């Protein structure tokens, strides 16, 4: 069997990836066969679809221009195989987000219609919609990495090392799409959300998702292009980049005879995990929505954990310096880190626990105390995840060195399919509730969609915690690969001691990159959101019949306004990890190493602070809206809306976009090694 896997392991990985894509296609077919509801529901759903397509088409056209420039540059900096890999990574990452978004915006009306039959049916439809995106993300990522590696080794007879070098370009292509998708989608969704809430809820006193709000369609569009397409692109590139980084470490650190096995090993871990994810989707059943979703995740994790051992034994048994049991334990550490990050993020962002309750209680004494408490919770939320990652890295390092850390990340990413499914579940159920409100469906429908939406808010928060943790561990592996490549190309060991001024300078620049990136992202939301506020106020002022229901709001104008603003605002922040990294690398290699360390450390703390703090503000508002501390219309509610408005760009724009930014900097550093050594 070990000989078979050595000779045909890439084929096995491709078959597993193909099964994920096949699952996505078959599930899409069965989902679209369901009823999309009455004429009004279909009109609203079609409007959301049109807005989301228009946004992504415009976004990808802008990215294509940047991509062409980088494609040509990579031919001269590296070679044509790296440039082709870059194109493959960008195309597959964009496809994963685009296809997933298209399924989500069609599933929303079907979930609202299914809610007429009760929560179990609505849960099934919503989760299947999310699972399509999740399995396509891992399927396309593994298909791209394993397929391109196979083409280079089989057809062009490249060595494992040269083939993996070309795959670095594929990872860069995925990362470029990811940072644009995360940032642009985050600006869109939060600008629309802020504009809709400030004028609708606070000034006009109308409910969320009220059809009289001119920004309500833009808000629903934003849920999909931000949370669905953005998360899909984010975890696509994390999955692909990590697999490539572990393959690179394998071919650099293992002797020639074992290098092929070390390169194939992470691909097969990902392949068997896909089988576990597909089986796990069928375990999502039951009346308790949150329990049903998490039991699917647990089943997937258990199957992956069991399957990892025979794969490890067949491929890595007898490899000098690495025990089968040690590598297997590294993979289990990755799964354990995922579980702990889930629990911790849930604790800091769920309405069931103290942090959110404290933030809600602080709203009773005003807007300022709500902001202070929410910010404090975000800062506190960084401590325990950092400790989990420290022990995870330490454990894997002790067992199998930096290659073991890479295997731990692959173990963590084994759950990506179900994680993305849980994330996409959020915008699908959110939109379903919006359609039910705007289409004036019976109250019992909202009684089904609202609890689903509440769970969706929690799953979106915990998946962001997972994405941040995996980004940090992936960046550690990338940094190790950078050091190995630097040594191989330069022929000498370069140290990065704090007593050396260039390293300290680089550390400061790396931290600067994160804070500047976050600041520009937040400002972008503020400017775009302000434009939405003015537009909604204008329509209310010029069309007084909107509030009486005798005049129709101009939804398309709001969507077009936010689309243009998001595309304009995303460009400069997205270029920060590329431009700064190249400039510093050309000046000093030691400073570049310091920069990468600074980006990883500062980026982790800022990302957790922003996503956890924003999640606490969001759910504190929902807790009050459910009746706590005076309920809707109270002073506490007004303060919580302010906190949620501040938290929105924290948790859905700047925070999540830091993840791909960290990895872009590390990948660019590897790619420019030929011109800096």
């Amino acid at each position: 069997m070990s000989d078979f896997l050595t000779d045909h392991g890439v084929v096995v990985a491709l078959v597993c990836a193909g099964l994920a894509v096949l699952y996505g296609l078959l599930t899409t077919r069965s989902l679209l066969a369901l009823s999309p509801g009455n004429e009004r529901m279909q009109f609203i759903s079609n409007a959301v679809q049109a807005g989301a397509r228009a946004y992504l088409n415009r976004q990808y056209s802008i990215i294509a221009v940047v991509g062409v420039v980088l494609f040509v540059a990579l031919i001269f900096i590296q070679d044509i195989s790296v440039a082709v890999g870059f194109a493959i990574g960008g195309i597959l990452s964009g496809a994963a987000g685009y296809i997933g978004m298209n399924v989500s915006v069609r599933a929303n009306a079907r979930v609202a219609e299914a809610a007429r039959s009760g929560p179990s049916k609505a849960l099934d439809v919503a989760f299947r919609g999310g699972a399509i995106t999740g399995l396509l993300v891992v399927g396309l990522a593994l298909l791209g990495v394993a397929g391109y590696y196979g083409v280079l080794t089989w057809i062009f007879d490249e060595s494992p090392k040269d083939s993996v070098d070309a795959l670095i370009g594929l990872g860069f292509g995925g990362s470029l799409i990811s940072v644009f998708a995360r940032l642009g989608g985050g600006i869109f969704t939060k600008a629309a959300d802020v504009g809709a809430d400030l004028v609708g809820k606070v000034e006009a006193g109308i409910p969320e998702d009220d059809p009289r709000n001119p920004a309500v369609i833009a808000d629903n569009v934003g849920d999909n292009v931000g949370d669905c397409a953005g998360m899909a692109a984010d975890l696509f590139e994390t999955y692909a980049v990590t697999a490539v980084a572990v393959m690179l470490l394998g071919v650099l650190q293992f002797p020639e005879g074992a290098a092929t096995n070390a390169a194939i090993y992470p691909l097969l871990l990902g392949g068997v995990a896909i089988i576990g994810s597909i089986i796990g989707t069928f375990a999502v059943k039951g009346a308790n929505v949150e329990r049903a979703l998490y039991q699917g995740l647990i089943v997937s994790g258990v199957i992956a954990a069991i399957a990892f051992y025979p794969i490890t034994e067949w491929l890595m048994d007898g490899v000098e310096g690495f025990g089968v049991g040690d590598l297997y334990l590294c993979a289990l550490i990755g799964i354990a880190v995922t579980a702990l990050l889930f629990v911790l993020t849930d604790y800091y962002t769920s309405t069931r626990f103290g942090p959110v309750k404290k933030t809600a209680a602080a709203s009773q004494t005003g807007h300022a105390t709500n902001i202070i408490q929410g910010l404090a919770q975000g800062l506190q939320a960084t401590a325990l995840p950092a400790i989990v990652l420290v022990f995870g890295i330490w454990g894997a390092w002790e067992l199998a060195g930096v290659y073991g850390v890479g295997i731990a990340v692959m173990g963590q990413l084994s759950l990506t399919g179900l994680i993305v499914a849980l994330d996409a579940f959020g915008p699908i159920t959110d939109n379903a509730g919006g359609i039910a409100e705007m289409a004036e469906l019976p109250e019992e429908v909202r009684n089904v969609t609202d609890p689903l939406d509440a769970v969706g808010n929690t799953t979106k928060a915990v998946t962001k915690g997972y994405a941040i943790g995996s980004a940090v561990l992936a960046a550690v592996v990338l940094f190790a690969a950078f050091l190995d490549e630097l040594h191989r190309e330069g022929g000498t060991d370069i140290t990065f001691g704090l007593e050396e001024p260039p390293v300290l300078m680089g550390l400061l620049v790396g931290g600067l990159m994160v804070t500047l990136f976050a600041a520009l992202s937040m400002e972008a939301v503020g400017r775009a959101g302000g434009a939405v506020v003015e537009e909604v106020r204008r329509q209310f002022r010029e069309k007084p019949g909107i509030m009486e229901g005798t005049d129709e709001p101009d939804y398309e104008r709001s969507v077009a306004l936010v689309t243009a603003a998001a595309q304009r605002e995303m460009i400069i922040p997205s270029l920060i990890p590329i431009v700064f990294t190249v400039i510093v690398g050309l000046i000093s290699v030691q400073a570049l190493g310091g920069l990468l360390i600074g980006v990883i450390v500062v980026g982790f703390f800022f990302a957790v602070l922003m996503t956890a703090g924003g999640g606490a503000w969001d759910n504190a508002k929902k807790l009050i809206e459910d009746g706590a501390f005076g309920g809707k219309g109270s002073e506490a509610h007004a303060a919580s809306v302010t906190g949620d408005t501040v938290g929105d760009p924290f948790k859905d724009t700047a925070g999540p976009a830091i993840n791909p930014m960290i990895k872009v900097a590390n990948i660019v550093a590897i790619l420019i090694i030929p011109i800096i050594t």
Side-chain angles (χ1 to χ4, degrees), residues 23 181 217 280 322 325 382 407 437 464 481 496 518 521 564 581 596 608 656 665 670:
Y23 174 92
I217 294 294
F322 291 87
T382 64
I407 297 305
E437 177 75 26
K464 288 184 177 73
F496 297 97
S521 304
T581 304
L596 298 179
V608 175
I670 294 174

Side-chain angles (χ1 to χ4, degrees), residues 461-555:
V462 296
T463 52
K464 288 184 177 73
Y466 166 83
I468 293 164
S470 62
V472 171
L473 291 180
V476 170
V477 177
L478 284 169
F479 183 72
F482 166 74
L483 294 181
D484 280 354
E485 279 280 278
L486 200 60
H487 174 68
R488 192 177 71 91
E489 290 286 337
T492 58
D493 287 324
I494 298 176
T495 59
F496 297 97
L498 286 179
E499 74 280 2
E500 301 174 62
V503 177
L504 184 57
M505 290 159 56
L507 282 169
L508 294 173
V509 173
L512 174 156
M513 287 166 61
V514 175
T515 54
L516 182 62
F517 181 87
L520 293 176
S521 304
M522 296 279 287
E523 280 189 341
V525 172
R527 284 191 294 268
V532 176
V533 167
E534 292 301 322
E535 172 60 22
V536 175
R537 286 173 176 168
R538 183 194 67 79
Q539 290 198 34
F540 280 153
R541 184 173 61 251
E542 296 179 5
K543 296 181 178 181
I546 290 176
M547 292 301 292
E548 283 76 39
T550 58
D551 210 343
E552 280 289 324
D554 187 352
Y555 301 125

Side-chain angles (χ1 to χ4, degrees), residues 238-613:
T238 299
Y239 192 97
V241 164
T242 302
V244 172
V246 179
M247 293 171 74
L248 180 60
L249 284 177
V251 298
L252 288 173
Q253 296 189 352
F254 285 79
E256 188 173 339
T260 299
N261 284 28
I264 295 173
Y265 180 43
L267 298 179
L268 285 172
L269 290 181
V272 296
I274 284 177
I275 306 301
S277 295
I278 292 173
I279 296 171
T281 62
F282 296 102
V284 179
K285 297 180 184 298
N288 186 311
V289 176
E290 196 164 359
R291 181 184 300 168
L293 292 172
Y294 290 155
Q295 72 190 19
L297 188 65
I298 292 169
V299 167
S300 173
V302 169
I303 292 172
I306 294 171
F308 284 167
Y309 188 80
I311 292 294
T312 305
E313 185 175 37
W314 288 329
L315 271 176
M316 306 303 287
D317 188 24
V319 174
E320 186 177 350
F322 291 87
V324 169
D326 292 340
L327 289 174
Y328 176 64
L329 286 176
C330 289
L332 295 187
I333 284 174
I335 295 176
V337 166
T338 295
L340 290 171
L341 290 177
F342 253 70
V343 171
L344 291 174
T345 309
D346 187 49
Y347 172 74
Y348 280 103
T349 58
S350 173
T351 56
R352 303 191 309 274
F353 302 112
V356 169
K357 291 179 179 179
K358 289 178 182 177
T359 305
S363 304
Q364 297 176 97
T365 50
H367 300 252
T369 48
N370 170 280
I371 298 296
I372 292 168
Q373 186 63 37
L375 188 58
Q377 295 302 335
L379 290 165
Q380 287 181 28
T382 64
L384 292 177
I387 292 172
V388 167
L389 291 179
V390 165
F391 278 104
I393 293 170
W394 173 76
W397 178 275
E398 285 291 312
L399 288 167
V402 71
Y403 185 75
V405 178
I407 297 305
V409 192
M410 286 306 299
Q412 186 180 19
L413 291 172
S414 67
L415 300 173
T416 297
L418 267 292
I419 301 288
V420 176
L422 294 180
D423 185 77
F425 175 86
I428 290 172
T429 54
D430 191 356
N431 277 195
I435 289 173
E437 177 75 26
M438 288 183 277
E440 299 178 345
L441 297 185
E443 186 177 347
E444 54 265 26
V445 173
R446 284 308 301 256
N447 290 339
V448 171
T449 59
D450 284 352
L452 290 177
D453 184 23
V455 173
N457 281 319
T458 301
T459 60
K460 284 191 293 185
V462 296
T463 52
K464 288 184 177 73
Y466 166 83
I468 293 164
S470 62
V472 171
L473 291 180
V476 170
V477 177
L478 284 169
F479 183 72
F482 166 74
L483 294 181
D484 280 354
E485 279 280 278
L486 200 60
H487 174 68
R488 192 177 71 91
E489 290 286 337
T492 58
D493 287 324
I494 298 176
T495 59
F496 297 97
L498 286 179
E499 74 280 2
E500 301 174 62
V503 177
L504 184 57
M505 290 159 56
L507 282 169
L508 294 173
V509 173
L512 174 156
M513 287 166 61
V514 175
T515 54
L516 182 62
F517 181 87
L520 293 176
S521 304
M522 296 279 287
E523 280 189 341
V525 172
R527 284 191 294 268
V532 176
V533 167
E534 292 301 322
E535 172 60 22
V536 175
R537 286 173 176 168
R538 183 194 67 79
Q539 290 198 34
F540 280 153
R541 184 173 61 251
E542 296 179 5
K543 296 181 178 181
I546 290 176
M547 292 301 292
E548 283 76 39
T550 58
D551 210 343
E552 280 289 324
D554 187 352
Y555 301 125
E556 289 185 11
R557 182 173 174 83
S558 296
V559 172
L561 187 151
V562 189
T563 298
Q567 304 302 317
R568 182 176 63 251
E569 299 282 1
M570 74 177 182
I571 295 174
I572 292 178
S574 297
L575 293 176
I576 286 175
I578 298 174
V579 174
F580 274 72
T581 304
V582 171
I583 292 174
V584 171
L586 291 172
I587 295 171
S588 167
V589 174
Q590 283 189 307
L592 179 58
L595 177 149
L596 298 179
I597 298 169
V599 165
I600 294 170
V601 174
V602 178
F604 165 74
F605 284 102
F606 261 75
V608 175
L609 157 66
M610 290 182 143
T611 53

